Amino acid sequence: MTAAVVETTNSPFVLRQIARPEPGDGQVLVRIEASGTNPLDAKIRAGEAAHAEQPLPAILGMDLAGTIVAIGPGVENFGIGDAVFGLTGGVGGLQGSQAEFAAVDARLLAHKPNALTMREASVLPLVVITAWEGLIDRANLQRGQTVLIQGGGGGVGHVAVQIALARGARVFATALGDDLAYVRALGATPIDGSRDPADYVAEHTGGRGFDLVYDTIGGPVLDASFRAVKRFGHVVSCLGWGTHKLAPLSFKQATYSGVFTLYTLLANEGRAHFGEILKLVGALVETGELSPRLDPRTFAMAEIGSAYDAVLGRNGAARPQGKIAITIAP
């Protein structure tokens, strides 16, 4: 099979012919049709993601959509010819999705929603699982709660907005520029992310604060989230890096949870939950309650370097207007 290989840190991708894998116990062999590409993939390539633990040389790419072509022993819920999607590798020494085939743990997969193309499905797994783990698994989001999504136009943010709306929450989302109109079109109340938290907390909650705040940006935005949450509220972040003062959170007797989605892959714990989340998200897709924000540009595997430039908006590439998908096998 053909695979895009990164030999050393920040080196160009090299297309190589390597042996096609065989599915082992509990695995299926997927003919990959599209690979969703994330900023974290670019950080791994640049040697800036030690927490992802992906030694080079490697085949990168965490998200995939494709068709099952072979089934290993012990797999019962899938058949040959099934269209699937999932967060399956690219970290922890696991083969990534930027290759024509991958043998993957079947527990990490779900059937692709009929409403989505392969490209659309390929950009969802990492971001929807991260959003779901924060909103549902950590914060136990309830109908009628006020929810603030920091970075509502981003990868995790735009699906977090849609999941919260589907769960019956009153959703607000910070954004900048054109993303403000996008957030409004999703059904959330947009908030200019450059505003002081005290101002928008006063405007939208009467000064009480939001029941739940999901920070998808990190840094100063996490500190702003501590200021925006209400007393006994909850803050979740999937980018809890850096040093932060907890006093604003503690004074409100509020709580905090971190989300580290990759742990499931790295530690091989709770993998079936990934498949369960994707199945639930697939149901939201089929009812029209959730859709991916896909950048309209198309990239073949031979153009993978340009795809990574597009993810980062560098080397003359325009800033992405949604997630980037790489077509592996048309």
Side-chain angles (χ1 to χ4, degrees), residues 45-89:
R45 180 191 181 197
E48 298 171 356
H51 62 290
E53 301 176 17
Q54 182 71 332
L56 302 180
I59 300 168
L60 303 183
M62 290 175 279
D63 293 333
L64 65 74
T67 304
I68 294 175
V69 295
I71 298 177
V75 176
E76 299 179 351
N77 298 323
F78 296 99
I80 293 175
D82 286 354
V84 294
F85 71 134
L87 168 59
T88 61

Side-chain angles (χ1 to χ4, degrees), residues 29 37 48 85 90 94 118 150 154 214-215 219 236 273 280 314:
L29 183 66
T37 308
E48 298 171 356
F85 71 134
L94 299 171
M118 288 290 184
Q150 300 277 27
Y214 195 156
D215 159 48
V236 180
H273 189 46
L280 292 168
R314 69 180 186 187

Side-chain angles (χ1 to χ4, degrees), residues 113-273:
N114 293 325
L116 298 182
T117 66
M118 288 290 184
R119 292 180 69 243
E120 290 170 332
S122 76
V123 301
L124 278 179
L126 175 62
V127 293
V128 295
I129 292 170
T130 303
W132 189 281
E133 286 187 329
L135 292 173
I136 311 303
D137 294 344
R138 305 289 181 275
N140 191 27
L141 173 65
Q142 299 295 308
R143 178 174 294 275
Q145 286 186 311
T146 54
V147 177
L148 173 65
I149 308 298
Q150 300 277 27
V156 175
H158 84 286
V159 291
V161 166
Q162 294 175 81
I163 291 170
L165 287 168
R167 284 285 176 129
R170 294 176 54 211
V171 183
F172 304 79
T174 61
L176 297 171
D178 293 342
D179 283 352
L180 288 164
Y182 173 74
V183 163
R184 185 183 298 278
L186 290 178
T189 299
I191 298 173
D192 188 325
S194 65
R195 293 179 62 187
D196 188 280
D199 292 339
Y200 59 73
V201 166
E203 177 182 354
H204 295 293
T205 73
R208 293 183 297 275
F210 299 91
D211 294 313
L212 168 60
V213 182
Y214 195 156
D215 159 48
T216 72
I217 300 174
V221 177
L222 179 52
D223 294 313
S225 300
F226 293 160
R227 296 175 59 198
V229 74
K230 76 170 190 178
R231 188 184 181 205
F232 301 123
H234 195 87
V235 175
V236 180
S237 179
C238 58
L239 283 172
W241 300 101
T243 301
H244 302 274
K245 293 182 179 179
L246 297 179
L249 193 70
S250 300
F251 291 157
K252 297 178 181 180
Q253 297 165 287
T255 52
Y256 169 81
S257 293
V259 177
F260 182 41
T261 301
L262 297 186
Y263 180 84
T264 293
L265 289 179
L266 297 173
N268 190 14
E269 291 184 16
R271 289 187 175 187
H273 189 46

Side-chain angles (χ1 to χ4, degrees), residues 90-103:
V91 297
L94 299 171
Q95 183 204 306
S97 57
Q98 288 155 11
E100 291 179 315
F101 296 89

